[in-house]
Amino acid sequence: LARAALTPAPAEHLPLLTEAADRAACAAGGYDERHFRIARDTVRLRCAGRELAAVLTDAVGHLEVGPTPRAALTVHVWAGGSPPWGGRPEIRRWSGDDGLSFMQSAEDWLEALDAGRGIGHLWLRSLGEAHHVRVAPLSPILAAWLPSRGVVHAHAGAVGRADGCVLLAAPSGRGKSTTALACADAGLGYLGDDTCLLAAEPAPTAYALYRLVQSLPGEGAPKQIRHMPAEALLREAPLRAIAIVEPTGRTETRTSTASAGEAVAAIAPSSMLRLPAPQEAVLRGLARIAASVECHRVLAGTDRAGLAAAVEALL
Amino acid sequence: VRQESRFRSNSPPVIQETIDGETIMVNLDTGSYYWLDPLASYVCGSLEDGASTEEVVDELSRRFPAERQAVEREVRGLADRLVEEALLVSANGAERVERAPREFPALHAFEAPVFKTYTDMQELLLLDPVHDVGVEGWPEPR
């Protein structure tokens, strides 16, 4: 991007990223365009080239829908070349009437959202370094944009059945994935192990986002990524309860009642501080959801079947 | 905290929500977050409304006359913590705001208000230097 081409107005800056994406798409043989049902809206991804599209959409393939002329959000994705915006690690945010816009960049990637136009951008220096983008693509863009659609991008897992699900809350590395996978192995549907989408209206509902699961097979071992099988995936379900997961190291799992405030404290801070989300909207949304469902503490034991049974009993 | 100290919410950067009498507060500058039980929420909310610590002590002492000493110690201690954590800031000299009376939590006896601090998200903020920009626009590229 040429310095001289930029003006101070936000609306003038982000279209230049679209131009950069267009040039990359031209060089890659055109855009590979796909549509996805993200919570209650259709999101269009325009990836510069098929290889990039295959990598980026792997985690959300279960949400793919047919083309629609009117997507609520369009995201341009391209890879290669030099950083389109400086390359120094930083985050910038700008709140307007249409929601939270942001631009965050580093040496190897850039993500941006123009909330007013409903346009996002993702640039990667190379596909090989895009581990986080493969497992949880577009997280910053979706976390910033979804609250404007009445949906919160929550740092939580969720499991259940079509008629009801349980949200799994815990800090990173403290049992969400273990619990979600134990429940999936026991036959419960999987909506997510680390991220899911939540809406308070018209009734508390959880939506799936990603189908790739990261796991650590053992101490010091590299992370493994695997697809959840299609038959285990649940796209959405009414939210019945929030479970605050606390591993105990004991064999058996016990549950006890928790307050809505404790549930919000377990979910909200990481949901609104990890990503460029509109923080007050996220806190308010999660508080409304927690106030309208049962909240529990799951003192998670090592017996996986017992853990799954304890979670299922909350449905 | 001196007698007759008055405060106001340090918002922004502090945001908060109260659910079923409990309050979650987040200091977006530090990444620290807090859980307040119903009595701590009541005390904090009263201070945010402009009541002085002395007025809050007096009110609670009327409700629990046998516990005045404990009430005074706990209310002043909580006010100190709220200021230390930059959740409240001094507003001495400000008028008390006329607001609808807060609902007092259902307590049969005085219990020390509970105020829990969590700092596990601070590291994230240190990793991600956030630069808010104003309505004038996006940052100039380098």
Side-chain angles (χ1 to χ4, degrees), chain A residues 3 6 8 10 13 85-86 88 90-94 101-103 259-262 264-265 269-270 272 274 279-280 283-284 291, chain B residues 15-17 19-20 22 24 26 28 31 33 35 120-121 124-125 128-142:
Chain A
R3 175 185 291 266
L6 296 169
H13 285 194
W85 200 296
R88 195 177 73 178
E90 64 177 336
I91 302 175
R92 310 266 179 171
R93 301 175 184 187
W94 185 78
S101 296
F102 77 92
M103 192 279 299
S259 70
E262 290 171 320
V264 173
S270 58
M272 62 194 199
R274 290 188 318 160
Q279 290 132 336
E280 288 190 84
L283 184 60
R284 194 166 52 242
Chain B
I15 61 173
Q16 59 182 287
E17 278 291 324
I19 321 140
D20 297 339
E22 301 171 0
I24 311 303
V26 184
L28 298 173
Y33 58 102
W35 177 87
D120 55 296
M121 298 301 297
L124 279 183
L125 291 198
D128 295 333
V130 175
H131 307 286
D132 286 307
V133 295
V135 291
E136 71 277 9
W138 291 90
E140 285 296 306
R142 288 167 303 280

Short mmCIF file of all heavy atoms in Angstrom, two decimals, chain A residues 3 6 8 10 13 85-86 88 90-94 101-103 259-262 264-265 269-270 272 274 279-280 283-284 291, chain B residues 15-17 19-20 22 24 26 28 31 33 35 120-121 124-125 128-142:
data_model
loop_
_atom_site.label_atom_id
_atom_site.label_comp_id
_atom_site.label_asym_id
_atom_site.label_seq_id
_atom_site.Cartn_x
_atom_site.Cartn_y
_atom_site.Cartn_z
N ARG A 3 1.87 4.95 0.75
CA ARG A 3 1.53 5.95 1.76
C ARG A 3 0.67 7.06 1.15
O ARG A 3 -0.31 7.49 1.72
CB ARG A 3 2.82 6.54 2.33
CG ARG A 3 2.58 7.67 3.30
CD ARG A 3 3.91 8.26 3.72
NE ARG A 3 4.68 7.34 4.53
CZ ARG A 3 4.65 7.33 5.87
NH1 ARG A 3 3.88 8.18 6.50
NH2 ARG A 3 5.36 6.49 6.55
N LEU A 6 -3.22 6.80 0.93
CA LEU A 6 -4.05 6.67 2.12
C LEU A 6 -4.50 8.02 2.64
O LEU A 6 -3.77 8.99 2.58
CB LEU A 6 -3.28 5.93 3.22
CG LEU A 6 -2.92 4.50 2.86
CD1 LEU A 6 -1.95 3.96 3.88
CD2 LEU A 6 -4.17 3.65 2.80
N PRO A 8 -6.76 9.87 6.10
CA PRO A 8 -7.05 9.56 7.49
C PRO A 8 -8.40 8.90 7.71
O PRO A 8 -8.62 8.29 8.74
CB PRO A 8 -7.02 10.93 8.18
CG PRO A 8 -6.30 11.83 7.23
CD PRO A 8 -6.59 11.30 5.88
N PRO A 10 -11.24 6.27 8.02
CA PRO A 10 -11.23 4.80 8.05
C PRO A 10 -11.80 4.21 6.78
O PRO A 10 -11.29 3.22 6.27
CB PRO A 10 -12.11 4.46 9.25
CG PRO A 10 -12.32 5.69 10.01
CD PRO A 10 -11.98 6.85 9.14
N HIS A 13 -9.29 3.65 4.10
CA HIS A 13 -8.13 2.79 4.29
C HIS A 13 -8.40 1.33 3.93
O HIS A 13 -7.64 0.71 3.20
CB HIS A 13 -7.65 2.85 5.73
CG HIS A 13 -6.93 4.12 6.03
ND1 HIS A 13 -6.17 4.29 7.16
CD2 HIS A 13 -6.83 5.27 5.34
CE1 HIS A 13 -5.65 5.50 7.15
NE2 HIS A 13 -6.04 6.11 6.06
N TRP A 85 0.47 -3.87 5.56
CA TRP A 85 0.34 -2.74 6.48
C TRP A 85 1.49 -2.73 7.47
O TRP A 85 1.33 -3.14 8.62
CB TRP A 85 -0.99 -2.79 7.23
CG TRP A 85 -1.36 -1.46 7.79
CD1 TRP A 85 -0.68 -0.76 8.74
CD2 TRP A 85 -2.47 -0.67 7.43
NE1 TRP A 85 -1.29 0.43 8.98
CE2 TRP A 85 -2.41 0.52 8.19
CE3 TRP A 85 -3.52 -0.85 6.53
CZ2 TRP A 85 -3.37 1.52 8.08
CZ3 TRP A 85 -4.46 0.15 6.44
CH2 TRP A 85 -4.38 1.32 7.21
N GLY A 86 2.66 -2.38 7.05
CA GLY A 86 3.77 -2.17 7.97
C GLY A 86 4.46 -3.41 8.46
O GLY A 86 5.65 -3.57 8.29
N ARG A 88 4.56 -4.43 11.70
CA ARG A 88 4.89 -4.40 13.12
C ARG A 88 3.69 -4.91 13.92
O ARG A 88 2.56 -4.55 13.63
CB ARG A 88 5.23 -2.98 13.56
CG ARG A 88 5.91 -2.91 14.91
CD ARG A 88 6.27 -1.50 15.25
NE ARG A 88 5.10 -0.72 15.61
CZ ARG A 88 5.15 0.56 15.99
NH1 ARG A 88 6.28 1.20 16.00
NH2 ARG A 88 4.06 1.20 16.31
N GLU A 90 0.77 -5.03 16.18
CA GLU A 90 -0.06 -4.02 16.83
C GLU A 90 -1.53 -4.32 16.58
O GLU A 90 -1.88 -5.09 15.69
CB GLU A 90 0.26 -2.62 16.34
CG GLU A 90 -0.05 -2.40 14.88
CD GLU A 90 0.21 -0.96 14.46
OE1 GLU A 90 0.18 -0.08 15.33
OE2 GLU A 90 0.44 -0.74 13.28
N ILE A 91 -2.34 -3.73 17.41
CA ILE A 91 -3.79 -3.85 17.24
C ILE A 91 -4.36 -2.45 17.29
O ILE A 91 -3.99 -1.66 18.14
CB ILE A 91 -4.42 -4.68 18.37
CG1 ILE A 91 -3.81 -6.07 18.42
CG2 ILE A 91 -5.93 -4.78 18.17
CD1 ILE A 91 -4.30 -6.89 19.59
N ARG A 92 -5.26 -2.16 16.39
CA ARG A 92 -5.98 -0.88 16.41
C ARG A 92 -7.47 -1.17 16.37
O ARG A 92 -7.90 -2.07 15.68
CB ARG A 92 -5.59 -0.04 15.19
CG ARG A 92 -4.11 0.12 14.96
CD ARG A 92 -3.59 1.37 15.60
NE ARG A 92 -2.16 1.50 15.38
CZ ARG A 92 -1.46 2.57 15.66
NH1 ARG A 92 -2.07 3.62 16.17
NH2 ARG A 92 -0.16 2.61 15.46
N ARG A 93 -8.21 -0.39 17.13
CA ARG A 93 -9.65 -0.60 17.15
C ARG A 93 -10.35 0.72 16.95
O ARG A 93 -9.86 1.76 17.36
CB ARG A 93 -10.08 -1.19 18.49
CG ARG A 93 -9.41 -2.50 18.79
CD ARG A 93 -9.77 -2.99 20.17
NE ARG A 93 -9.02 -4.21 20.45
CZ ARG A 93 -9.20 -4.96 21.50
NH1 ARG A 93 -10.11 -4.62 22.40
NH2 ARG A 93 -8.49 -6.04 21.68
N TRP A 94 -11.51 0.64 16.36
CA TRP A 94 -12.28 1.84 16.15
C TRP A 94 -13.76 1.49 16.24
O TRP A 94 -14.24 0.64 15.50
CB TRP A 94 -11.96 2.43 14.78
CG TRP A 94 -12.64 3.73 14.52
CD1 TRP A 94 -12.27 4.95 15.00
CD2 TRP A 94 -13.81 3.94 13.75
NE1 TRP A 94 -13.13 5.91 14.57
CE2 TRP A 94 -14.09 5.33 13.80
CE3 TRP A 94 -14.65 3.11 13.02
CZ2 TRP A 94 -15.18 5.89 13.15
CZ3 TRP A 94 -15.75 3.67 12.37
CH2 TRP A 94 -15.99 5.05 12.44
N SER A 101 -14.79 -1.93 14.50
CA SER A 101 -13.86 -2.20 13.40
C SER A 101 -12.46 -2.33 14.00
O SER A 101 -12.17 -1.76 15.05
CB SER A 101 -13.86 -1.06 12.39
OG SER A 101 -15.12 -0.94 11.77
N PHE A 102 -11.61 -3.07 13.34
CA PHE A 102 -10.26 -3.20 13.88
C PHE A 102 -9.29 -3.55 12.77
O PHE A 102 -9.69 -3.98 11.68
CB PHE A 102 -10.20 -4.28 14.97
CG PHE A 102 -10.21 -5.69 14.43
CD1 PHE A 102 -9.04 -6.37 14.16
CD2 PHE A 102 -11.41 -6.33 14.16
CE1 PHE A 102 -9.04 -7.66 13.65
CE2 PHE A 102 -11.44 -7.61 13.65
CZ PHE A 102 -10.25 -8.28 13.40
N MET A 103 -8.05 -3.36 13.07
CA MET A 103 -6.98 -3.82 12.19
C MET A 103 -5.87 -4.32 13.10
O MET A 103 -5.43 -3.59 13.99
CB MET A 103 -6.49 -2.66 11.33
CG MET A 103 -5.58 -3.04 10.17
SD MET A 103 -3.88 -3.30 10.65
CE MET A 103 -3.44 -1.70 11.28
N SER A 259 -23.28 -20.00 40.74
CA SER A 259 -24.10 -18.82 40.48
C SER A 259 -23.87 -18.34 39.05
O SER A 259 -22.86 -18.66 38.41
CB SER A 259 -23.75 -17.70 41.46
OG SER A 259 -22.47 -17.19 41.17
N ALA A 260 -24.83 -17.55 38.57
CA ALA A 260 -24.68 -16.98 37.23
C ALA A 260 -23.45 -16.08 37.17
O ALA A 260 -22.74 -16.03 36.16
CB ALA A 260 -25.94 -16.21 36.86
N GLY A 261 -23.19 -15.36 38.25
CA GLY A 261 -22.02 -14.48 38.28
C GLY A 261 -20.72 -15.27 38.16
O GLY A 261 -19.78 -14.84 37.46
N GLU A 262 -20.66 -16.40 38.83
CA GLU A 262 -19.45 -17.24 38.71
C GLU A 262 -19.29 -17.76 37.29
O GLU A 262 -18.18 -17.85 36.76
CB GLU A 262 -19.54 -18.40 39.71
CG GLU A 262 -19.41 -17.96 41.15
CD GLU A 262 -19.71 -19.07 42.14
OE1 GLU A 262 -20.66 -19.86 41.90
OE2 GLU A 262 -19.02 -19.15 43.16
N VAL A 264 -20.34 -16.27 34.52
CA VAL A 264 -19.87 -15.16 33.67
C VAL A 264 -18.39 -14.89 33.91
O VAL A 264 -17.62 -14.65 32.97
CB VAL A 264 -20.71 -13.89 33.94
CG1 VAL A 264 -20.13 -12.69 33.20
CG2 VAL A 264 -22.15 -14.11 33.50
N ALA A 265 -17.97 -14.97 35.17
CA ALA A 265 -16.55 -14.76 35.47
C ALA A 265 -15.68 -15.83 34.82
O ALA A 265 -14.52 -15.59 34.50
CB ALA A 265 -16.33 -14.74 36.98
N PRO A 269 -14.20 -12.95 30.67
CA PRO A 269 -12.91 -12.27 30.48
C PRO A 269 -12.10 -12.81 29.30
O PRO A 269 -11.61 -12.03 28.48
CB PRO A 269 -12.21 -12.49 31.82
CG PRO A 269 -13.33 -12.61 32.79
CD PRO A 269 -14.39 -13.39 32.06
N SER A 270 -11.98 -14.13 29.19
CA SER A 270 -11.19 -14.65 28.07
C SER A 270 -11.92 -14.45 26.75
O SER A 270 -11.28 -14.29 25.70
CB SER A 270 -10.83 -16.12 28.28
OG SER A 270 -11.99 -16.90 28.43
N MET A 272 -13.62 -11.85 25.91
CA MET A 272 -13.54 -10.47 25.42
C MET A 272 -12.14 -9.89 25.43
O MET A 272 -11.93 -8.83 24.85
CB MET A 272 -14.49 -9.58 26.21
CG MET A 272 -14.20 -9.49 27.66
SD MET A 272 -15.63 -8.76 28.47
CE MET A 272 -14.86 -8.23 29.98
N ARG A 274 -9.17 -11.92 24.72
CA ARG A 274 -8.25 -12.63 23.81
C ARG A 274 -8.32 -12.08 22.40
O ARG A 274 -7.36 -12.19 21.64
CB ARG A 274 -8.60 -14.12 23.73
CG ARG A 274 -8.34 -14.92 24.96
CD ARG A 274 -8.55 -16.39 24.68
NE ARG A 274 -9.73 -16.63 23.86
CZ ARG A 274 -9.94 -17.74 23.17
NH1 ARG A 274 -9.05 -18.70 23.16
NH2 ARG A 274 -11.05 -17.90 22.47
N GLN A 279 -16.14 -5.26 24.03
CA GLN A 279 -16.13 -5.91 25.34
C GLN A 279 -17.42 -5.75 26.12
O GLN A 279 -17.89 -6.69 26.75
CB GLN A 279 -14.93 -5.39 26.12
CG GLN A 279 -13.63 -5.90 25.53
CD GLN A 279 -12.59 -4.84 25.33
OE1 GLN A 279 -12.89 -3.67 25.20
NE2 GLN A 279 -11.33 -5.26 25.27
N GLU A 280 -17.99 -4.56 26.10
CA GLU A 280 -19.22 -4.37 26.88
C GLU A 280 -20.37 -5.21 26.33
O GLU A 280 -21.15 -5.77 27.09
CB GLU A 280 -19.60 -2.88 26.90
CG GLU A 280 -18.66 -2.08 27.76
CD GLU A 280 -19.16 -0.66 27.98
OE1 GLU A 280 -19.97 -0.45 28.88
OE2 GLU A 280 -18.73 0.21 27.23
N LEU A 283 -19.77 -8.82 27.47
CA LEU A 283 -20.07 -9.01 28.89
C LEU A 283 -21.59 -8.98 29.13
O LEU A 283 -22.14 -9.82 29.85
CB LEU A 283 -19.38 -7.92 29.72
CG LEU A 283 -19.53 -8.04 31.24
CD1 LEU A 283 -18.96 -9.35 31.75
CD2 LEU A 283 -18.84 -6.86 31.94
N ARG A 284 -22.25 -8.03 28.49
CA ARG A 284 -23.71 -7.90 28.67
C ARG A 284 -24.42 -9.14 28.10
O ARG A 284 -25.32 -9.69 28.73
CB ARG A 284 -24.17 -6.64 27.95
CG ARG A 284 -25.58 -6.19 28.32
CD ARG A 284 -25.83 -4.77 27.83
NE ARG A 284 -25.52 -4.59 26.42
CZ ARG A 284 -24.59 -3.77 25.94
NH1 ARG A 284 -23.88 -3.03 26.76
NH2 ARG A 284 -24.39 -3.67 24.65
N ALA A 291 -27.86 -15.62 33.15
CA ALA A 291 -28.98 -15.38 34.06
C ALA A 291 -30.21 -16.20 33.68
O ALA A 291 -31.13 -16.32 34.48
CB ALA A 291 -29.32 -13.89 34.07
N ILE B 15 -15.53 -2.02 33.11
CA ILE B 15 -16.89 -2.37 32.72
C ILE B 15 -17.42 -3.39 33.71
O ILE B 15 -16.64 -4.10 34.35
CB ILE B 15 -16.99 -2.89 31.28
CG1 ILE B 15 -16.16 -4.17 31.10
CG2 ILE B 15 -16.55 -1.84 30.29
CD1 ILE B 15 -16.36 -4.81 29.72
N GLN B 16 -18.72 -3.47 33.85
CA GLN B 16 -19.29 -4.38 34.86
C GLN B 16 -20.70 -4.78 34.50
O GLN B 16 -21.38 -4.10 33.74
CB GLN B 16 -19.26 -3.72 36.23
CG GLN B 16 -20.03 -2.43 36.32
CD GLN B 16 -19.91 -1.81 37.70
OE1 GLN B 16 -20.47 -2.28 38.67
NE2 GLN B 16 -19.14 -0.75 37.78
N GLU B 17 -21.10 -5.91 35.04
CA GLU B 17 -22.46 -6.39 34.92
C GLU B 17 -22.86 -7.01 36.24
O GLU B 17 -22.04 -7.67 36.90
CB GLU B 17 -22.58 -7.47 33.82
CG GLU B 17 -22.69 -6.93 32.42
CD GLU B 17 -24.01 -6.23 32.14
OE1 GLU B 17 -25.07 -6.66 32.65
OE2 GLU B 17 -23.99 -5.22 31.39
N ILE B 19 -25.54 -9.65 37.99
CA ILE B 19 -26.48 -10.72 37.71
C ILE B 19 -26.87 -11.37 39.03
O ILE B 19 -26.00 -11.83 39.78
CB ILE B 19 -25.87 -11.84 36.83
CG1 ILE B 19 -24.98 -11.24 35.76
CG2 ILE B 19 -26.94 -12.73 36.24
CD1 ILE B 19 -23.74 -12.03 35.56
N ASP B 20 -28.15 -11.41 39.28
CA ASP B 20 -28.65 -12.03 40.52
C ASP B 20 -27.92 -11.47 41.74
O ASP B 20 -27.57 -12.21 42.66
CB ASP B 20 -28.50 -13.55 40.47
CG ASP B 20 -29.34 -14.16 39.36
OD1 ASP B 20 -30.29 -13.51 38.91
OD2 ASP B 20 -29.02 -15.29 38.94
N GLU B 22 -24.90 -10.51 42.10
CA GLU B 22 -23.43 -10.61 42.03
C GLU B 22 -22.92 -9.73 40.89
O GLU B 22 -23.60 -9.58 39.88
CB GLU B 22 -23.00 -12.05 41.79
CG GLU B 22 -23.48 -13.01 42.87
CD GLU B 22 -23.22 -14.45 42.51
OE1 GLU B 22 -22.67 -14.71 41.42
OE2 GLU B 22 -23.57 -15.32 43.31
N ILE B 24 -19.73 -8.75 38.18
CA ILE B 24 -18.46 -9.04 37.51
C ILE B 24 -17.91 -7.71 37.03
O ILE B 24 -18.60 -6.98 36.30
CB ILE B 24 -18.66 -9.96 36.28
CG1 ILE B 24 -19.52 -11.18 36.64
CG2 ILE B 24 -17.32 -10.38 35.70
CD1 ILE B 24 -18.99 -12.00 37.75
N VAL B 26 -14.52 -5.80 35.14
CA VAL B 26 -13.31 -6.05 34.35
C VAL B 26 -12.61 -4.72 34.14
O VAL B 26 -13.23 -3.74 33.69
CB VAL B 26 -13.64 -6.68 32.97
CG1 VAL B 26 -12.35 -7.00 32.21
CG2 VAL B 26 -14.49 -7.92 33.13
N LEU B 28 -10.30 -3.10 31.81
CA LEU B 28 -9.78 -3.37 30.46
C LEU B 28 -8.36 -2.87 30.28
O LEU B 28 -7.67 -3.27 29.35
CB LEU B 28 -10.70 -2.74 29.41
CG LEU B 28 -12.14 -3.28 29.41
CD1 LEU B 28 -13.00 -2.47 28.45
CD2 LEU B 28 -12.16 -4.75 29.03
N GLY B 31 -6.53 -5.97 32.46
CA GLY B 31 -6.92 -7.36 32.21
C GLY B 31 -7.37 -8.07 33.47
O GLY B 31 -7.79 -9.22 33.42
N TYR B 33 -9.87 -9.08 36.46
CA TYR B 33 -11.32 -9.09 36.59
C TYR B 33 -11.69 -9.54 37.99
O TYR B 33 -10.87 -10.12 38.71
CB TYR B 33 -11.99 -9.90 35.49
CG TYR B 33 -11.58 -11.34 35.39
CD1 TYR B 33 -12.39 -12.37 35.88
CD2 TYR B 33 -10.39 -11.71 34.77
CE1 TYR B 33 -12.03 -13.70 35.76
CE2 TYR B 33 -10.02 -13.03 34.65
CZ TYR B 33 -10.85 -14.03 35.15
OH TYR B 33 -10.49 -15.34 35.03
N TRP B 35 -14.93 -10.66 40.95
CA TRP B 35 -16.27 -11.17 41.28
C TRP B 35 -16.63 -10.65 42.66
O TRP B 35 -15.85 -10.77 43.62
CB TRP B 35 -16.26 -12.69 41.27
CG TRP B 35 -17.57 -13.30 41.67
CD1 TRP B 35 -18.62 -13.58 40.86
CD2 TRP B 35 -17.97 -13.73 42.98
NE1 TRP B 35 -19.65 -14.13 41.58
CE2 TRP B 35 -19.28 -14.24 42.88
CE3 TRP B 35 -17.34 -13.73 44.23
CZ2 TRP B 35 -19.97 -14.74 43.98
CZ3 TRP B 35 -18.03 -14.24 45.32
CH2 TRP B 35 -19.34 -14.73 45.19
N ASP B 120 -5.41 -13.81 35.73
CA ASP B 120 -4.87 -14.74 34.73
C ASP B 120 -4.96 -14.22 33.30
O ASP B 120 -4.35 -14.79 32.40
CB ASP B 120 -5.58 -16.09 34.83
CG ASP B 120 -7.09 -15.97 34.71
OD1 ASP B 120 -7.70 -15.35 35.59
OD2 ASP B 120 -7.65 -16.51 33.74
N MET B 121 -5.72 -13.14 33.07
CA MET B 121 -5.80 -12.61 31.70
C MET B 121 -4.81 -11.48 31.44
O MET B 121 -4.73 -10.98 30.33
CB MET B 121 -7.21 -12.08 31.43
CG MET B 121 -8.31 -13.13 31.52
SD MET B 121 -8.08 -14.49 30.37
CE MET B 121 -8.18 -13.65 28.81
N LEU B 124 -2.29 -11.71 28.50
CA LEU B 124 -2.80 -11.48 27.16
C LEU B 124 -2.69 -10.02 26.76
O LEU B 124 -2.33 -9.69 25.64
CB LEU B 124 -4.27 -11.90 27.09
CG LEU B 124 -4.56 -13.38 26.91
CD1 LEU B 124 -6.06 -13.58 26.80
CD2 LEU B 124 -3.88 -13.90 25.67
N LEU B 125 -3.02 -9.15 27.71
CA LEU B 125 -2.96 -7.73 27.40
C LEU B 125 -1.53 -7.28 27.17
O LEU B 125 -1.26 -6.42 26.34
CB LEU B 125 -3.59 -6.92 28.53
CG LEU B 125 -5.10 -7.06 28.69
CD1 LEU B 125 -5.65 -5.92 29.51
CD2 LEU B 125 -5.82 -7.10 27.36
N ASP B 128 -0.56 -8.11 23.68
CA ASP B 128 -1.27 -7.42 22.60
C ASP B 128 -1.41 -5.94 22.91
O ASP B 128 -2.40 -5.53 23.50
CB ASP B 128 -2.68 -8.03 22.44
CG ASP B 128 -2.60 -9.47 21.98
OD1 ASP B 128 -1.60 -9.80 21.33
OD2 ASP B 128 -3.53 -10.21 22.27
N PRO B 129 -0.43 -5.16 22.57
CA PRO B 129 -0.57 -3.73 22.83
C PRO B 129 -1.70 -3.14 22.00
O PRO B 129 -1.67 -3.15 20.78
CB PRO B 129 0.79 -3.16 22.40
CG PRO B 129 1.32 -4.15 21.43
CD PRO B 129 0.77 -5.48 21.82
N VAL B 130 -2.71 -2.69 22.67
CA VAL B 130 -3.89 -2.18 21.97
C VAL B 130 -3.82 -0.67 21.87
O VAL B 130 -3.53 0.01 22.83
CB VAL B 130 -5.17 -2.58 22.73
CG1 VAL B 130 -6.39 -1.95 22.06
CG2 VAL B 130 -5.31 -4.08 22.76
N HIS B 131 -4.03 -0.19 20.69
CA HIS B 131 -4.01 1.25 20.49
C HIS B 131 -5.36 1.68 19.95
O HIS B 131 -5.67 1.46 18.79
CB HIS B 131 -2.92 1.64 19.49
CG HIS B 131 -1.59 1.10 19.84
ND1 HIS B 131 -0.84 1.61 20.88
CD2 HIS B 131 -0.88 0.08 19.33
CE1 HIS B 131 0.29 0.94 20.96
NE2 HIS B 131 0.28 0.00 20.04
N ASP B 132 -6.18 2.23 20.80
CA ASP B 132 -7.46 2.73 20.31
C ASP B 132 -7.23 3.97 19.47
O ASP B 132 -6.35 4.77 19.77
CB ASP B 132 -8.37 3.07 21.48
CG ASP B 132 -8.91 1.83 22.14
OD1 ASP B 132 -9.47 0.99 21.41
OD2 ASP B 132 -8.74 1.69 23.36
N VAL B 133 -8.02 4.10 18.46
CA VAL B 133 -7.93 5.31 17.65
C VAL B 133 -9.26 6.03 17.69
O VAL B 133 -10.31 5.43 17.90
CB VAL B 133 -7.54 5.01 16.20
CG1 VAL B 133 -6.15 4.44 16.13
CG2 VAL B 133 -8.54 4.08 15.54
N GLY B 134 -9.24 7.31 17.48
CA GLY B 134 -10.46 8.11 17.56
C GLY B 134 -11.19 8.13 16.24
O GLY B 134 -10.83 7.43 15.29
N VAL B 135 -12.23 8.96 16.22
CA VAL B 135 -13.06 9.01 15.02
C VAL B 135 -12.31 9.62 13.83
O VAL B 135 -12.77 9.56 12.71
CB VAL B 135 -14.33 9.83 15.27
CG1 VAL B 135 -15.26 9.11 16.20
CG2 VAL B 135 -13.99 11.20 15.82
N GLU B 136 -11.13 10.16 14.13
CA GLU B 136 -10.41 10.78 13.02
C GLU B 136 -9.87 9.74 12.04
O GLU B 136 -9.53 10.05 10.92
CB GLU B 136 -9.26 11.66 13.52
CG GLU B 136 -8.08 10.93 14.10
CD GLU B 136 -8.30 10.55 15.55
OE1 GLU B 136 -9.42 10.70 16.06
OE2 GLU B 136 -7.33 10.07 16.17
N GLY B 137 -9.81 8.48 12.49
CA GLY B 137 -9.45 7.48 11.50
C GLY B 137 -8.45 6.45 11.93
O GLY B 137 -8.05 6.38 13.08
N TRP B 138 -8.11 5.65 10.96
CA TRP B 138 -7.15 4.58 11.19
C TRP B 138 -5.75 5.16 11.27
O TRP B 138 -5.51 6.27 10.81
CB TRP B 138 -7.23 3.57 10.05
CG TRP B 138 -8.50 2.82 10.09
CD1 TRP B 138 -9.67 3.15 9.49
CD2 TRP B 138 -8.75 1.63 10.82
NE1 TRP B 138 -10.64 2.23 9.79
CE2 TRP B 138 -10.11 1.28 10.59
CE3 TRP B 138 -7.99 0.80 11.63
CZ2 TRP B 138 -10.69 0.16 11.16
CZ3 TRP B 138 -8.57 -0.32 12.19
CH2 TRP B 138 -9.90 -0.63 11.95
N PRO B 139 -4.86 4.38 11.86
CA PRO B 139 -3.49 4.89 11.98
C PRO B 139 -2.84 5.07 10.62
O PRO B 139 -3.15 4.36 9.67
CB PRO B 139 -2.79 3.77 12.77
CG PRO B 139 -3.61 2.56 12.49
CD PRO B 139 -5.02 3.04 12.38
N GLU B 140 -1.99 6.04 10.58
CA GLU B 140 -1.22 6.22 9.36
C GLU B 140 -0.26 5.06 9.18
O GLU B 140 0.37 4.62 10.14
CB GLU B 140 -0.41 7.52 9.43
CG GLU B 140 -1.25 8.76 9.26
CD GLU B 140 -1.86 8.82 7.87
OE1 GLU B 140 -1.14 8.73 6.88
OE2 GLU B 140 -3.09 8.93 7.80
N PRO B 141 -0.14 4.51 8.01
CA PRO B 141 0.82 3.42 7.79
C PRO B 141 2.24 3.93 7.87
O PRO B 141 2.50 5.11 7.64
CB PRO B 141 0.48 2.95 6.38
CG PRO B 141 -0.11 4.15 5.71
CD PRO B 141 -0.82 4.91 6.79
N ARG B 142 3.15 3.00 8.23
CA ARG B 142 4.54 3.42 8.29
C ARG B 142 5.21 3.22 6.94
O ARG B 142 4.80 2.38 6.19
CB ARG B 142 5.28 2.61 9.36
CG ARG B 142 4.86 3.04 10.74
CD ARG B 142 5.33 2.05 11.75
NE ARG B 142 4.81 0.73 11.44
CZ ARG B 142 3.58 0.33 11.73
NH1 ARG B 142 2.74 1.15 12.31
NH2 ARG B 142 3.15 -0.88 11.41
#
